[in-house]
Amino acid sequence: MPLGLVHEAARWACAPLTPPVPAPSPALCSGQVFTARSGVLSSPEYPQPYPKLSNCTYSIRLEEGFSVSLDFVESFDVESHPETQCPYDSLEIQTDKEKYGPFCGRTLPPRIETKSSTVTVTFVTDQSGEHTGWRIRYSSTAQPCPDPVAPPNGHISPVQAKYILKDRFFVFCETGYELLQGDLPLKSFTTVCQKDGSWDQPMPECSNVFC
Ligand code: CA
């Protein structure tokens, strides 16, 4: 190796490392997590054509006790094949108990009531085709708790048509009355609806402070 090249090699060896050029990323659609009781998910860029060669995952993760339902809305267009089931692009839905799909084509799939609190949606696309994709509106419900009835001289807040998992209410007494649970006076009272559809505390009384 001529001396000039040795110098060149040494200089190269001492040069600071250049940061690696990031690989072109496929559609940014992997590992999306949804924790709200309701929401909307869709294929990337919906209703524009979805990107090619993507592998998207969407996780709906609610607390145990909720049941997630999925409604396909607006339009549905995923590349299909007349004879083979979704060989190009496909949408699949998975819970801990069941698998739904694969879905493709141009017909809105029916509503799915998963009876599960965690749902994973996977969308895989191949290298060709122009299709607009899908949109899912999800909602959730849980076993309702019995409608609370305020004790005499007491009030409940907030008043709701239905109370489900994690919903709570408190009870306050009119002036001249105090909260009492059994023989115990309480400063305040709150109860939470549990996943089995029961309240975690029995209803208190409002007792006359002068008695
Ligand atoms: Ca395709």
Side-chain angles (χ1 to χ4, degrees), residues 50 52 79 88-89 125-131:
Y50 51 74
K52 299 168 178 69
E79 189 177 16
Y88 306 126
D89 303 336
T125 69
D126 71 356
Q127 75 288 351
S128 64
E130 293 271 302
H131 298 268

Side-chain angles (χ1 to χ4, degrees), residues 37 142-150 156-171 181 189-204:
R37 285 190 188 184
Q143 195 176 336
C145 277
D147 281 338
V149 178
I156 282 168
S157 179
V159 173
Q160 294 177 200
K162 189 164 91 162
Y163 299 81
I164 63 165
L165 187 59
K166 300 281 166 193
D167 286 344
R168 58 183 66 222
F169 69 85
F170 66 92
V171 174
Q181 187 114 74
F189 174 87
T190 311
T191 181
V192 179
C193 182
Q194 305 176 103
K195 70 180 177 200
D196 66 355
S198 69
W199 293 107
D200 76 337
Q201 302 284 337
M203 190 66 90

